[in-house]
């Protein structure tokens, strides 16, 4: 009798476990067992092809997806949520048959604004074209007499993909999110020691890009291992099963809307350290708009400005096409007021307490 009761309890526990395992997906099916959505979109971030693990929730806290129809007109705006079952971002949408494209912005906050370039308003369903989707920085601190400086932009991510939906068929779409900001961890070292009586050490970054066109400029198919200019006519396939890894880099406008950043440094012994987060840099800015890094105390520059575009290009970095822009840099101010810059070494990081 005891064995029988134990057996019944084991069967009951097994049934409960099976029900719990499938509970997350019960509401996706109609009374006849058919899905009530036509496309499942799952979002990935693999640290720029350095891993096959999807680590998106570790880097992105929220996302907004913009769905466009076959004519490129905004069909729907969709806040993307984490699937409670697997802890990953996913969308299950009931879209009618047709061809679609999707643009996704991750970690979008009030620091930046998504807008329709044609209307200068928030993107509007049935009106906004995907070619007019802009993202721009808007966290300026103005002064009474002139434009002010901008704070860090936030750690933005961007994704793009095309797909199609056929009658009575379920589509699966993978959207690879791409690191869409620039991080500069900096350390300033004075040769001969930090000067006395410094009151307000900070850095200023002049002529930094502050606007993205959210249609991609570059495409990076994983299987080809190279980056090239994105062409919607030849690179967008609109398949039902778009599940291979493809990265798209948003267009960084380098011919308008440059801004200046200001960041207060932390004094650490005889050094100054900090982290600046901006929009992505380009190889060649507009003439006369070179992005620069300058160390200040109050309103006095403590050394010559460093041209960032030139430095990175000379180091062999293609700012236009690189998937992730994260750079630990050491700036050494020489006694004659000149400045040298180099990538931080392990010793630099250890000495400065960055890790």
């Amino acid at each position: 009798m005891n064995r029988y009761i134990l057996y019944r309890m084991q069967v009951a526990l097994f049934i409960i476990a099976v029900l719990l395992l499938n509970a997350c997906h019960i509401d996706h099916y109609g009374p006849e067992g058919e899905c009530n959505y036509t496309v499942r979109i799952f979002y990935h971030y693999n640290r720029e092809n350095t891993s096959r693990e999807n680590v998106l929730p570790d880097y992105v806290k929220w996302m907004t997806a913009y769905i466009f129809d076959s004519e490129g007109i905004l069909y729907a705006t969709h806040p993307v949520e984490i699937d409670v079952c697997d802890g990953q971002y996913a969308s299950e949408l009931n879209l009618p048959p047709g061809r679609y494209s999707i643009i996704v912005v991750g970690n979008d906050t009030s620091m930046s604004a998504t807008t329709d370039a044609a209307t200068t308003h928030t993107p509007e369903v049935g009106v906004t074209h995907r070619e007019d989707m802009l993202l721009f920085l808007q966290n300026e601190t103005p002064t009474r007499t002139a434009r002010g400086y901008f704070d860090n932009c936030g750690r933005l991510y961007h994704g793009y993909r095309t797909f199609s939906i056929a009658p009575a068929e379920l589509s699966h779409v993978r959207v690879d999110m791409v690191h869409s900001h620039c991080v500069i961890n900096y350390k300033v070292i004075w040769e001969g020691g930090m000067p006395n009586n410094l009151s307000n050490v900070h850095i200023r970054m002049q002529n930094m890009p502050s606007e993205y066109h959210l249609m991609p400029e570059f495409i990076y198919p994983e299987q080809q291992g190279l980056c090239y200019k994105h062409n919607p006519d030849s690179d967008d396939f609109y398949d039902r099963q778009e599940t291979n890894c493809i990265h798209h880099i948003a267009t960084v406008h380098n011919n308008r809307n440059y801004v200046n950043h200001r960041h207060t440094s932390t004094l650490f012994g005889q050094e100054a350290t900090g982290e600046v987060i901006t929009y992505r840099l380009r190889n060649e800015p507009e003439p006369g708009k070179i992005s620069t890094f300058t160390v200040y105390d109050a309103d006095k520059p403590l050394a010559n400005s460093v041209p960032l575009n030139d430095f990175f290009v000379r180091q062999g970095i293609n700012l236009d096409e690189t998937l992730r822009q994260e750079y630990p840099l050491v700036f050494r101010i020489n006694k004659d007021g000149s400045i040298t810059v180099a990538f931080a070494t392990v010793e630099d990081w250890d000495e400065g307490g960055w890790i």
Side-chain angles (χ1 to χ4, degrees):
M1 184 69 177
N2 290 338
R3 290 183 178 178
Y4 178 73
I5 294 175
L6 179 61
Y7 172 76
R8 292 285 299 271
M9 292 177 62
Q10 290 174 334
V11 171
L13 289 173
F14 175 78
I15 293 173
I16 291 173
V18 171
L19 290 174
L20 288 175
L21 184 64
N22 291 279
C24 296
H25 301 287
I26 288 177
D27 63 338
H28 299 318
Y29 294 87
E32 298 180 0
E34 295 182 355
C35 296
N36 63 6
Y37 58 90
T38 57
V39 58
R40 178 173 171 81
I41 305 172
F42 45 103
Y43 306 85
H44 276 245
Y45 179 58
N46 63 2
R47 291 285 288 173
E48 292 73 39
N49 294 330
T50 60
S51 170
R52 293 198 174 275
E53 181 182 3
N54 185 9
V55 294
L56 185 59
D58 296 337
Y59 294 89
V60 174
K61 301 307 178 186
W62 52 82
M63 297 194 299
T64 303
Y66 301 89
I67 311 294
F68 299 85
D69 64 18
S70 59
E71 302 299 320
I73 303 300
L74 185 61
Y75 181 86
T77 300
H78 171 62
V80 184
E81 299 179 349
I82 290 181
D83 190 300
V84 296
C85 293
D86 60 15
Q88 298 293 340
Y89 285 101
S91 302
E92 292 171 345
L93 306 176
N94 188 13
L95 301 177
R99 292 173 25 141
Y100 297 89
S101 53
I102 180 172
I103 292 174
V104 188
V105 181
N107 291 340
D108 47 328
T109 68
S110 60
M111 292 185 290
S112 294
T114 305
T115 187
D116 181 334
T119 66
T120 69
H121 298 146
T122 301
E124 183 179 350
V125 171
V127 174
T128 300
H129 196 281
R130 66 179 191 172
E131 298 291 342
D132 293 322
M133 291 286 289
L134 296 180
L135 182 73
F136 65 92
L137 189 62
Q138 62 173 7
N139 61 1
E140 180 182 12
T141 303
T143 66
R144 292 182 179 179
T145 58
R147 291 195 62 181
Y149 287 90
F150 285 72
D151 295 327
N152 286 349
C153 77
R155 300 176 186 272
L156 296 166
Y157 290 79
H158 167 265
Y160 171 82
R161 202 69 189 248
T162 61
F163 60 95
S164 67
I165 295 175
E169 298 285 348
L170 179 62
S171 298
H172 293 87
V173 181
R174 167 172 171 157
V175 177
D176 289 280
M177 302 298 292
V178 173
H179 188 288
S180 295
H181 56 283
C182 174
V183 180
I184 295 180
N185 290 103
Y186 67 88
K187 176 187 291 186
V188 180
I189 301 174
W190 282 265
E191 293 297 332
M194 182 185 294
N196 296 324
N197 302 320
L198 295 180
S199 61
N200 183 14
V201 177
H202 64 277
I203 63 97
R204 299 182 189 181
M205 299 177 72
Q206 308 286 129
N207 299 324
M208 305 296 291
S210 70
E211 183 179 272
Y212 294 150
H213 178 195
L214 291 178
M215 279 295 288
E217 182 174 6
F218 297 99
I219 183 172
Y220 201 121
E222 183 185 39
Q223 66 272 20
Q224 296 185 21
L226 55 87
C227 187
Y228 55 90
K229 285 274 190 176
H230 173 260
N231 182 345
D233 294 331
S234 59
D235 296 321
D236 294 345
F237 298 107
Y238 296 94
D239 292 332
R240 284 198 312 104
Q241 306 301 323
E242 290 271 9
T243 57
N244 55 322
C245 177
I246 299 179
H247 293 94
H248 297 85
I249 300 176
T251 303
V252 182
H253 285 149
N254 65 338
N255 60 353
R256 64 178 188 246
N257 292 340
Y258 283 90
V259 301
N260 301 325
H261 289 266
R262 185 184 188 279
H263 185 270
T264 301
S265 304
T266 300
L267 299 183
F268 186 88
Q270 294 294 305
E271 303 165 352
T273 62
E275 179 182 77
V276 182
I277 306 174
T278 73
Y279 278 31
R280 287 172 60 99
L281 292 168
R282 294 296 302 256
N283 290 337
E284 297 182 5
E286 180 183 8
K289 293 293 186 179
I290 297 173
S291 301
T292 60
F293 180 105
T294 311
V295 184
Y296 276 78
D297 182 49
D299 289 326
K300 176 185 177 182
L302 299 178
N304 299 331
S305 297
V306 175
L308 292 173
N309 314 83
D310 181 70
F311 167 76
F312 286 120
V313 171
R314 286 175 179 270
Q315 298 298 315
I317 294 175
N318 187 333
L319 293 169
D320 291 348
E321 299 181 6
T322 184
L323 286 173
R324 182 169 73 231
Q325 294 188 358
E326 285 186 347
Y327 308 111
L329 300 178
V330 174
F331 299 86
R332 298 183 184 272
I333 299 179
N334 305 311
K335 294 180 180 180
D336 62 0
S338 63
I339 188 170
T340 57
V341 58
F343 288 107
T345 64
V346 174
E347 291 76 13
D348 292 321
W349 282 61
D350 289 338
E351 291 175 4
W354 295 359
I355 58 175

